[in-house]
Each structure stands twice: as C-alpha cells, then as structure tokens.
Amino acid sequence: MADILYTYKNSVYANITNKCNCSCTFCIRSLKDGVGSADTLWHEKNPSKEEIINAIKNYDFTGFDELVFCGYGEPTCALNTLLAAAKIAKEEKGLKTRLNTNGLGNEENGRNIVPELSEVIDSVSISLNAPDTQKYQEVTRPGFENGFEKMIDFALKCKGKIKDVKWSIVDVLPGEDIEKCKRLSDDTGIELRIRHYS
Ligand code: SF4
C-alpha cells in the first residue's frame, strides 16, 4: 500500500493520484518506486478524497509548516481532491500549501482552474522542462497538442492570482537551453528555479 503522505527533506508531501497526462522521458516514476520516507508511491488504487483528507487530519505535522502536493502523478488530474485537501491543510492544520505541477491542469479540466487554486494554494512550482515547443514535446510527451503553450499560459494565469509562482528545470539541460529558460523567466517575470538532478 503506497503512502498518501510522506516526508522528503523539510516538507511533507501528499501523493494524491498516480494519474498523469504526460509521459516525461525522465519521470522518476519509471526510475524508482519510492522517494524520501516512502517505500513505494504507486497506489494499488488511487486513494479517495475521504482517505486523503483523513490522512491529513490524522497526520502529526509537528516540525513541518508546508504540505506539498506532488507525488507520483499530476495533482491537477485529481482536482476536486486537491482543492478539498488543500483547504483542510490550510484551515485545520494551519499549513502553507504548495502545488508541484506540470502546468497542464487547465487543459486536463477543460477550464481555467487558477481562480479555484488561488483560494487554497499558496505557491505553485511548474515544471518548465524545456525552453521551446519542440523540445518540450520531445521530453514531456504531453497528452495534448500545444502543451508548451498551454503550460506557459497556465503559468501566466497563476502569476496573476498566486503570490509565489516559479518554473523549475533540472540542471541536466544543455547550457544553451538553460540560458533560453532564463530568458523566458526574465521576459515573463516568473522566477526560474534550477534544481540539481538527483
Ligand atoms: S508530469 Fe511528472 S508525473 Fe507526469 S510523467 Fe512527467 S514527471 Fe512523471
């Protein structure tokens, strides 16, 4: 049975769904079963909204001030659960909430979900992955057309509604791609976080 909540470094993470609308070439899901304190993050069956809310309610968050929605899947593929769980985390547990996302949640849900997210999510980290349409398509392999443009549009919408919005890339990208990502960050005013690949 996979853990719904697990710790990694200084945060508690919520693994609410294994569903995803991308098939990234580097996806950690294809490399190992678990992360941090979790032995496996593959759910035999995706947990229900109630199971996730109960897990948050019953968890001892002593020493942690943030809950990150991340996990082995894309949290916006379980939007109703994400919104309900984030609300509980904020209101009942007094936690900050962060969403780590591939930025395709609007497409997945067929509407602009940013206003709903902004009510319960304090910060958003969006996987940029690549500096242009072609490279994004090759690396991320989204289940939608024009995924890169849709991810950019989502990021811009988030920037208008949510205080802390970042793009992230990993430092395995070629130097020229990293430079292009930095330029995109400068042009849009969305901060870029360059993570070390591990
Ligand atoms: S978006 Fe995340 S979970 Fe989905 S395939 Fe890519 S790395 Fe894996």
Side-chain angles (χ1 to χ4, degrees):
M1 178 72 181
D3 293 326
I4 293 174
L5 299 178
Y6 61 98
T7 57
Y8 180 60
K9 297 187 178 163
N10 298 323
S11 297
V12 180
Y13 286 76
N15 173 26
I16 65 170
T17 182
N18 285 151
K19 197 179 162 204
C20 188
N21 42 31
C22 288
S23 180
C24 299
T25 53
F26 57 83
C27 183
I28 193 171
R29 304 189 304 171
S30 59
L31 301 177
K32 51 188 179 179
D33 285 339
V35 178
S37 67
D39 293 332
T40 180
L41 289 168
W42 286 112
H43 296 297
E44 279 167 25
K45 178 171 151 298
N46 282 322
S48 67
K49 184 159 78 177
E50 290 67 34
E51 285 170 322
I52 291 165
I53 285 173
N54 282 336
I56 293 171
K57 284 186 172 176
N58 294 327
Y59 196 83
D60 179 3
F61 286 92
T62 307
F64 299 100
D65 66 356
E66 185 181 53
L67 181 61
V68 184
F69 292 90
C70 179
Y72 263 23
E74 167 51 42
T76 60
C77 287
L79 182 66
N80 287 342
T81 301
L82 168 65
L83 294 172
K87 188 171 160 56
I88 295 286
K90 281 189 79 62
E91 292 180 0
E92 290 194 22
K93 293 289 184 168
L95 297 163
K96 289 185 287 183
T97 52
R98 170 155 56 100
L99 168 64
N100 288 358
T101 177
N102 62 19
L104 296 172
N106 285 350
E107 202 57 22
E108 173 70 26
N109 292 284
R111 65 178 189 277
N112 177 15
I113 64 171
V114 175
E116 293 157 86
L117 290 176
S118 71
E119 289 178 14
V120 289
I121 296 291
D122 297 309
S123 59
V124 180
S125 175
I126 302 160
S127 303
L128 180 57
N129 290 338
D132 59 44
T133 305
Q134 191 196 332
K135 285 184 177 156
Y136 183 87
Q137 198 68 27
E138 284 168 12
V139 166
T140 308
R141 300 184 291 187
F144 307 113
E145 301 218 333
N146 304 320
F148 185 70
E149 290 73 16
K150 284 164 180 161
M151 177 271 298
I152 301 271
D153 181 66
F154 176 82
L156 291 170
K157 285 189 164 75
C158 284
K159 182 175 169 255
K161 294 286 258 182
I162 297 171
K163 200 167 62 184
D164 180 12
V165 180
K166 291 185 180 72
W167 268 318
S168 75
I169 54 173
V170 278
D171 61 2
V172 293
L173 289 187
E176 71 181 79
D177 287 355
I178 292 179
E179 286 311 310
K180 280 191 198 167
C181 291
K182 284 183 181 166
R183 280 203 292 280
L184 185 62
S185 163
D186 288 343
D187 290 347
T188 55
I190 296 175
E191 191 181 324
L192 178 67
R193 182 167 157 255
I194 304 174
R195 291 188 297 115
H196 181 59
Y197 184 76
S198 61

